[in-house]
Amino acid sequence: MAEEDDTRIRILQSLRGKICEGKNLGSCSAPNRQRDLCTFCTISLDQEEVFRTKVFDKSFSPLYGEDFYFEIPRPFQCLSFYVFAKGVFQRDLPVGKVSIRKEDLCKFSGKEHWFCLQPVDPNSEVQGKVHLEMRLNELITENGSVCQQLLVRIIECQGLPLISGQNCDPYATVSLVGPARSDQRKTKVKKKTSDPQFDETFFFEVSVFASGMSEEEESEERRPGRRLQQALVFWVFFPGGHRYLLQPKGNGNKSKTDDLGSLRLNVTYTEDNVLPSACYTPLRTLLLQSPDAKPVSASAAHILGDVCRERYEAVLPVVRLLLHHNRLVPFVSAIAALELDHTQEANTIFRGNSLATRCIDDMMKIVGRSYLTVTLKPVLDEICESNKTCEIDPIKLREGDNVEVNKENLQGYVQKVFSSITQSSSSCPPLMCDMFRSLRQMASKRFPADPHVQYSAVSSFVFLRFFAVAVLSPHTFQLRPHHPDLEVSRTLTLISKTIQTLGSWGSLSKNKLVCKTVSQPVNMPIHQCVNLLSKCLSVCLSVIQSISVSPSIIPLEVQKRAQGRKRIGKKNFKKRWLRVTNRELSYHKHKGDTHSICIIPVKNIRAVEKVDESAFNRKNMFQVLHGEKPLYVQAGNCVEASEWIEVLSQVSRCNPGRLGTFHPSAYATGVWLCCRSPNDSQPGCKPCTPTMLANLQLDIDCDRETERIFSLLTSNYSKLQKMEDACASIAVYQGPLREQEDYSLFTIQDPKETFHTVQQIKHILENLQREHDNRSGTAQYGSQ
C-alpha cells in the first residue's frame, strides 16, 4: 500500500446480504399459472449475473435463505434481483425483478425489507451512457437561400449491457422526425465490445419552418434471434459534447405490478473510500498496541468492541488487522483471560457471545477454511449428492419410509464425518493450534481442580462453533455451491446436532449422552468417543510446524483460448472446466470429467494477471503465465474472474522465479498489442501485481480494514463520548450507583487509562475525517 500514489483515493465496493424468501410469486390471475411452481433467484450487477440460488420446488412462497457476499470489482449503476420459474422443456421464464439503483442502496442497508416484484420488460432492460455532440448551423446554398443544417456527432458509448456474459455487436441510429419528413442514419457496427468508439458525424438538412421536431438516439445490440434496443430522446439542441444515461425506449411495461408477488431481502452495500496508507498510521498503531495495554479493557480494540457491541461485523476488521501483524493471539489471550476472571463454573467456559468468542469465531472462519475443505468437503459432497433419507423422528417420517434403513444411513454418515474430524487433527492450521494452546493453559490455571477443562475450553470452539456449523451450513464456508435442499438440510441438521453433542465435553466426560441422538448414530461406546476426542484435541494442541494446505475449488465453466495460437479468432476459444488444488491447475472437457486435457503444476505458475478487453474483445479475461506460452481464460462474470485471480495468486505466491512484469494484452500479427514490441519473448511492459509469500495474513488489505474501523467508530461516536463521560465520572466521583447502571454496557477497569485511550481515538478520528474532507470534497454519487 505504501508504494502507491500518496494522493490517490481507492474506492472499494462490496455487497453482502441474504435472499430470505418469496411470497405469492407469479401472477395469480394468469390462466396458465402452474400449480407446482419451481423458482430460483439471481443477482445481477446492471445486467451481468453474479449469483444464483438453488431451485426451490413446488412453492409460491419459497424460503430461499441464501447468504451472499462478494467484492464488486467494477463500477455499476443498478443492483437487480430476478425471480425465474424453472422450465422443463423450455427456457427459464422471468417472474419479476427487484431493481435498486446504486445511490438508493443506503436506504435499505443492514435491515430486511419486503420488495414488490416488477415486470421484466425487455425494452426497459437498458444501461450505459452515450457521448453526443449536436450543433445547428446556418448555411447559404448555391442559389443564395439560407437553410439550417443539424450536425450530430456520435462519439462513443460506455457500459452497454452484456448478453449471457458476452459483449455484443452494437451500432447506433440517429432519427430526425419532422412534420413533413423523417430521416435516419446508422453508424458502423463495432464488434464484441460494450464500450464502442464510433466518432461518426451525420448532417441533416432542417427546414426553417420545422416545428415539433425531435431527435432520437437509439443504440441497438445485434444478437442471433433477438435485437436489444436502447433509446435516448432529446427535445433540445446541445452544443459541444455531453454524456447521457441511456433510457428505456417508449414507456415500458405498464402492467400491474401488485400481482407478481414480493421478495424479502437483506442487502448491505459497502463503499470504502480508502485514503493513502500514511493517513491511517496513527489509528493502526494505536490498534496494534491493544495486546500490550494494561488493562486490556483500556485498549483501542477492546473499546471498539464495547461501543459497537450490537454490530457483529465490527469485530472482523480488528481480527483481520491484528492477524496481518501477528498480534491476534496475544490480544485474544488477553481478552479471554479477562472473560475467565468472571467465569464461575468450568462447564460454562466460553459459551457466551463475548468479544473473545467472536474474535475466535472470525479467526477460525478466515484461517480454517482450507482445513474444512480438506476435512469435510469430500464427505459433504457424498451426503449432498447421494440423496439418502436419514429421518429418524417418527413424526416427520414420510409414507413408505423405513426408519431402520434411515438409521443405518444416518449412522454411516455420522461415522464418516466423525472419523474425518478426528483423523484430521494433524492438519489443523498452526495459528488455530497456537490459540487453542493458550486457551488450554489459561483454563487449566483458572480451574485447576477440573481435569477436563483443558479439553472443554477447546472443544467448545472446535466442535460447537467450527465443525458443527460447517456441517449445518456448508455453503457459507464455500464447501458447497448452494444451500442444500430441504431433505439434505434435515440430514445435515441431524449430523450437526450429533457433532455438537459429541463435542460437548461435559456431557461426554460425565456419561450423559442421549442414546437416540448420539450413541446409535455413532455406534461406539462412550469411552471410545472420549478417547478419540482427547487424542484429536491433544494432537491439535501439539501441532507446531507450518502446514501448507491450499483450497480445492469447485470447477467453474470458463472460456479457454488454445495456447500458442498466433491468430485471434472465435474458434480459438473453447468451453472448459477448470480445477485448481494446492498441487495443480487442470482443465477438463466436461464437468466432473476425471480425464484432464492439460495439467499445469502450481509450482510452475509465475504470475496471474488480468487481460485487457481490447486483446480479444472479451470481458473478464485473465492469464496464467507458466512457461513460454500463457494460458488465457475468460470467466463467466467479473466476480468469478476476480475470485479465480485471487485463488491462483494465493496458491502460487511462494513459487520461485515469479515474474516482475507482464504483458496486459496478447501477441498477435507479429507484435505485442500493448507495447507494439515485435519480439514475442520481450519482457512485460507493465509491473505485476505485488505478491508476497502465500501466508493468509498477507492477503489482508490493512488500509481498508482500518478505514472500516474508522467508519465504525465514527458512526458510534455518541457511545464513544458516553464512555469518556463514564470514565470521568467514575474517576472523579468514584462511580455513583445511578451512573454505574447507565454505563453498565462498558467494561471500565481503569478509568484513567480508558479515558486517555478514548481521547486518543477521538483526536485520530477528527484528523482522519479532515483528511477525507480535504481529499474527496463534498461531491455525492451522481453529481458533476
Side-chain angles (χ1 to χ4, degrees), residues 27-35:
S27 175
C28 296
S29 60
N32 58 346
R33 190 185 192 201
Q34 301 176 0
R35 294 186 61 186

Side-chain angles (χ1 to χ4, degrees), residues 548-712:
S548 176
V549 180
S550 299
S552 297
I553 304 302
I554 298 173
L556 294 179
E557 189 176 12
V558 298
Q559 295 281 347
K560 181 201 72 71
R561 181 177 185 251
Q563 302 183 60
R565 294 287 182 89
K566 298 289 185 180
R567 187 179 174 188
I568 299 177
K570 184 176 181 181
K571 294 183 179 179
N572 288 354
F573 284 86
K574 303 294 183 182
K575 187 174 291 187
R576 296 290 183 258
W577 289 83
L578 261 65
R579 177 183 290 274
V580 61
T581 68
N582 62 331
R583 295 178 180 272
E584 62 188 29
L585 170 67
S586 60
Y587 53 86
H588 310 256
K589 191 171 185 180
H590 304 289
K591 182 180 180 180
D593 191 356
T594 58
H595 175 69
S596 302
I597 297 176
C598 179
I599 296 177
I600 301 173
V602 167
K603 64 181 181 180
N604 292 346
I605 296 178
R606 304 178 67 191
V608 183
E609 298 289 346
K610 291 182 179 180
V611 179
D612 290 345
E613 179 187 345
S614 59
F616 302 103
N617 287 325
R618 289 172 177 258
K619 282 185 172 293
N620 308 320
M621 293 282 298
F622 65 92
Q623 56 183 315
V624 181
L625 304 173
H626 67 101
E628 294 184 2
K629 303 295 181 182
L631 172 67
Y632 294 104
V633 180
Q634 182 184 26
N637 56 58
C638 60
V639 173
E640 287 184 3
S642 179
E643 290 175 349
W644 270 96
I645 293 173
E646 179 183 358
V647 170
L648 289 172
S649 298
Q650 286 179 7
V651 299
S652 63
R653 278 189 175 131
C654 286
N655 292 350
R658 286 189 60 87
L659 297 176
T661 58
F662 75 104
H663 289 285
S665 193
Y667 186 82
T669 62
V671 296
W672 286 102
L673 300 181
C674 45
C675 60
R676 314 305 299 177
S677 172
N679 184 2
D680 61 350
S681 59
Q682 175 76 18
C685 57
K686 184 177 180 180
C688 287
T689 304
T691 55
M692 294 170 282
L693 293 177
N695 188 314
L696 175 73
Q697 50 186 273
L698 299 180
D699 297 324
I700 295 170
D701 188 341
C702 290
D703 294 340
R704 185 178 191 179
E705 303 303 333
T706 312
E707 169 63 27
R708 287 177 173 173
I709 294 171
F710 161 73
S711 299
L712 287 165

Side-chain angles (χ1 to χ4, degrees), residues 111-377:
K111 296 182 180 179
E112 293 183 0
H113 292 82
W114 281 100
F115 296 87
C116 292
L117 292 179
Q118 305 295 320
V120 179
D121 176 22
N123 285 332
S124 68
E125 299 291 296
V126 300
Q127 71 179 62
K129 298 179 182 179
V130 61
H131 188 187
L132 297 173
E133 179 183 353
M134 290 184 286
R135 189 168 59 248
L136 191 62
N137 301 321
E138 286 191 352
L139 300 177
I140 301 177
T141 63
E142 294 180 354
N143 58 12
S145 61
V146 178
C147 72
Q148 291 182 321
Q149 183 185 64
L150 174 64
L151 178 150
V152 180
R153 180 187 174 205
I154 304 178
I155 302 172
E156 63 178 342
C157 287
Q158 295 178 343
L160 299 183
L162 306 178
I163 303 299
S164 300
Q166 303 294 326
N167 287 317
C168 297
D169 301 338
Y171 64 91
T173 63
V174 183
S175 298
L176 179 66
V177 181
R181 63 171 187 168
S182 61
D183 197 2
Q184 186 180 79
R185 309 289 173 83
K186 188 178 81 169
T187 68
K188 296 179 181 179
V189 176
K190 300 298 181 180
K191 295 289 186 179
K192 300 297 180 185
T193 179
S194 60
D195 300 311
Q197 301 287 325
F198 294 111
D199 199 15
E200 295 190 37
T201 303
F202 301 103
F203 298 93
F204 297 90
E205 291 186 5
V206 183
S207 170
V208 294
F209 301 104
S211 62
M213 181 172 55
S214 66
E215 294 81 47
E216 181 180 42
E217 170 63 25
E218 180 177 355
S219 177
E220 297 184 345
E221 310 271 327
R222 285 185 176 178
R223 183 185 176 192
R226 186 160 70 95
R227 181 174 291 177
L228 178 66
Q229 294 185 328
Q230 300 176 330
L232 180 64
V233 179
F234 300 89
W235 296 94
V236 293
F237 298 119
F238 293 98
H242 295 266
R243 287 181 170 85
Y244 309 94
L245 290 175
L246 292 173
Q247 302 295 329
K249 182 180 180 181
N251 296 324
N253 195 327
K254 295 183 179 180
S255 63
K256 295 182 179 180
T257 61
D258 56 355
D259 59 352
L260 296 179
S262 53
L263 203 59
R264 183 162 62 94
L265 304 171
N266 187 332
V267 181
T268 299
Y269 168 72
T270 304
E271 186 176 279
D272 296 319
N273 294 280
V274 183
L275 301 173
S277 185
C279 298
Y280 298 109
T281 300
L283 181 57
R284 184 168 52 242
T285 302
L286 186 63
L287 289 164
L288 294 178
Q289 293 171 352
S290 296
D292 304 322
K294 302 296 182 185
V296 70
S297 60
S299 66
H302 195 283
I303 290 173
L304 173 66
D306 262 1
V307 300
C308 302
R309 193 183 298 261
E310 291 95 15
R311 300 187 62 175
Y312 190 85
E313 72 274 11
V315 174
L316 182 58
V318 175
V319 170
R320 294 174 65 86
L321 181 66
L322 296 176
L323 184 63
H324 178 85
H325 292 278
N326 290 319
R327 303 289 285 161
L328 182 62
V329 173
F331 175 70
V332 174
S333 299
I335 59 177
L338 178 62
E339 181 178 339
L340 282 173
D341 290 340
H342 297 86
T343 303
Q344 302 302 321
E345 298 182 7
N347 59 357
T348 62
I349 190 170
F350 299 129
R351 294 301 173 92
N353 189 26
S354 64
L355 179 60
T357 58
R358 289 161 64 188
C359 286
I360 297 174
D361 283 349
D362 284 336
M363 180 274 294
M364 292 191 298
K365 290 176 182 178
I366 297 171
V367 177
R369 182 169 294 176
S370 59
Y371 178 37
L372 286 175
T373 302
V374 173
T375 305
L376 291 181
K377 182 170 172 48

